[in-house]
Amino acid sequence: MDNKELKYKKGIEEFIFVAKSSTDIICDVVSNDLPFNEYNKEKIEVRLRNVVEMFFKNNRKYYPDDNMFEGEIVFDAEMMSDLVTHEFTYDGVTYKEDLPDLDEATTNKFRMAHEQYLKEKYHTDRFEYMKVGTNVMELFQDEQFFKKIYTEINGESKKRNKDLDSIKISTLKNYAYQLEEIVSRLESLSDRMNIMSAFEVKRWKECVQNYSCNLLMLLSKVGSPDFNTIDGVFILKNLLDAIDINTSMDDKDKFIASVIGCPISTVTTYRNKFNEWGRKADEARLSKLKTIQNLCESSLNPESNNDGNPVVKKFLSYIGKAVRDAEGASKKKK
């Protein structure tokens, strides 16, 4: 796994963890009509601290510096190391958990000894792995915190973050499934939420739901080509030509402009430019044309299922001719 993939997998998994942990709390509060008072807030804080510690323990590869969210949550490095260790010495006996084929009895013996080892070393039954001062519930309720962890995935630019393409499609689908579940659970609470619901809970729900929807939409675009207006005009223009409908060029331009959402003059200008693509060498344009060709062929004629369809055949031939003409112009330049 390269650094880019690791960075964005970490970011997405952290977001899903925060969103799911928040959703679990919100659903419990709303479904059980729990008052959002100081007593329940303390119980929620303990619950969240426990799941944060578990997430940290299970994903140590992400946190070599023993902190999460760029220092928002800091752990006691020595205590966390003792917690996740696979080998320790207690009462003169060395215990190892990483031996192959450990049976259940040996595993239980290791865990019991490990528990006693921790209690005696730190002189407590309650371990505070997280450094004092961190309020997890307040952090997870903060909209600016959600914005920050979302922006780290999406990037500051309005353009699609192409670095996300480093993540495998199967992994992205799993992330999307988890986000859909989070959104669905929150949407199901809508009928239970009313003007009497605690403002903090309503705001928390709205924040988690909105940013989860945003991330779900963002992930749905991963791996998709970046098409701009001129590319859309080119595709629709050739598709309409292939259909061979009986209408004027002006009406075609008007239709394309309405679909894409641009002025009719823009469509007319771009259509006149298409003739230049086969005469002037442009490597960037050639690359985009090939991307368009691949998209059209894979979407409209998968496994040659539509070879017998005259409209599809004509449309793909128009796209193919544009690619060949652009390739010819490029070769002449060389």
Side-chain angles (χ1 to χ4, degrees), residues 8 11-12 15 149-155 161 164 215 218-219:
Y8 287 104
I12 295 171
F15 182 98
I149 58 178
Y150 172 78
T151 302
E152 287 174 356
I153 301 168
N154 182 44
N161 186 355
L164 292 173
L215 182 55
L218 176 67
L219 297 186

Side-chain angles (χ1 to χ4, degrees), residues 257-292:
S258 298
V259 172
I260 293 180
C262 68
I264 298 175
S265 59
T266 299
V267 176
T268 305
T269 300
Y270 285 161
R271 178 164 45 78
N272 293 331
K273 283 186 176 182
F274 298 154
N275 294 328
E276 299 177 2
W277 291 0
R279 298 194 300 267
K280 297 180 180 180
D282 185 334
E283 293 301 323
R285 172 50 52 189
L286 175 58
S287 176
K288 179 60 72 70
L289 283 171
K290 288 182 177 180
T291 300
I292 292 173

Side-chain angles (χ1 to χ4, degrees), residues 5 25 34 43 91 108-109 117 130 143 147-149 199 208 246 257 262 266-267 279 283 319 321 328 331:
E5 181 183 4
I25 299 296
L34 298 177
K43 292 177 67 175
D91 201 19
N108 290 336
K109 186 177 180 181
Y117 163 75
M130 216 177 296
E143 185 172 356
K147 181 179 179 181
K148 176 183 175 183
I149 58 178
F199 174 74
V208 177
N246 185 19
C262 68
T266 299
V267 176
R279 298 194 300 267
E283 293 301 323
I319 303 295
K321 183 179 184 303
K331 289 177 181 177

Side-chain angles (χ1 to χ4, degrees), residues 173-184:
K173 286 183 178 179
N174 182 44
Y175 292 154
Y177 173 78
Q178 294 177 72
L179 287 166
E180 287 170 354
E181 186 177 28
I182 289 168
V183 172
S184 176

Side-chain angles (χ1 to χ4, degrees), residues 23-38:
T23 300
D24 289 342
I25 299 296
I26 295 167
C27 287
D28 280 354
V29 170
V30 175
S31 299
N32 297 307
D33 293 321
L34 298 177
F36 210 57
N37 53 27
E38 291 304 315

Side-chain angles (χ1 to χ4, degrees), residues 152-211:
E152 287 174 356
I153 301 168
N154 182 44
E156 295 287 351
S157 173
K158 292 183 180 180
K159 294 183 178 180
R160 182 176 69 82
N161 186 355
K162 294 183 180 180
D163 288 342
L164 292 173
D165 293 346
S166 62
I167 303 176
K168 294 180 180 178
I169 295 298
S170 58
T171 302
L172 290 170
K173 286 183 178 179
N174 182 44
Y175 292 154
Y177 173 78
Q178 294 177 72
L179 287 166
E180 287 170 354
E181 186 177 28
I182 289 168
V183 172
S184 176
R185 291 178 65 194
L186 292 173
E187 286 179 342
S188 69
L189 295 178
S190 298
D191 292 340
R192 301 289 301 272
M193 304 288 284
N194 54 56
I195 58 172
M196 297 304 294
S197 300
F199 174 74
E200 290 174 277
V201 177
K202 289 188 286 189
R203 186 184 61 182
W204 195 1
K205 170 188 176 292
E206 184 178 285
C207 176
V208 177
Q209 188 170 339
N210 288 344
Y211 277 100

Side-chain angles (χ1 to χ4, degrees), residues 60-114:
R60 284 303 300 274
K61 65 180 180 180
Y62 292 151
Y63 309 111
D65 298 325
D66 294 302
N67 72 80
M68 296 175 67
F69 310 118
E70 297 184 355
E72 293 282 2
I73 295 177
V74 181
F75 290 88
D76 184 308
E78 181 181 2
M79 192 176 286
M80 286 305 299
S81 178
D82 285 335
L83 174 67
V84 300
T85 187
H86 295 290
E87 181 178 341
F88 65 94
T89 299
Y90 171 67
D91 201 19
V93 179
T94 298
Y95 295 85
K96 294 183 179 181
E97 192 181 30
D98 57 352
L99 295 175
D101 303 322
L102 285 180
D103 56 35
E104 184 177 354
T106 305
T107 299
N108 290 336
K109 186 177 180 181
F110 174 92
R111 291 175 179 172
M112 292 177 64
H114 187 221

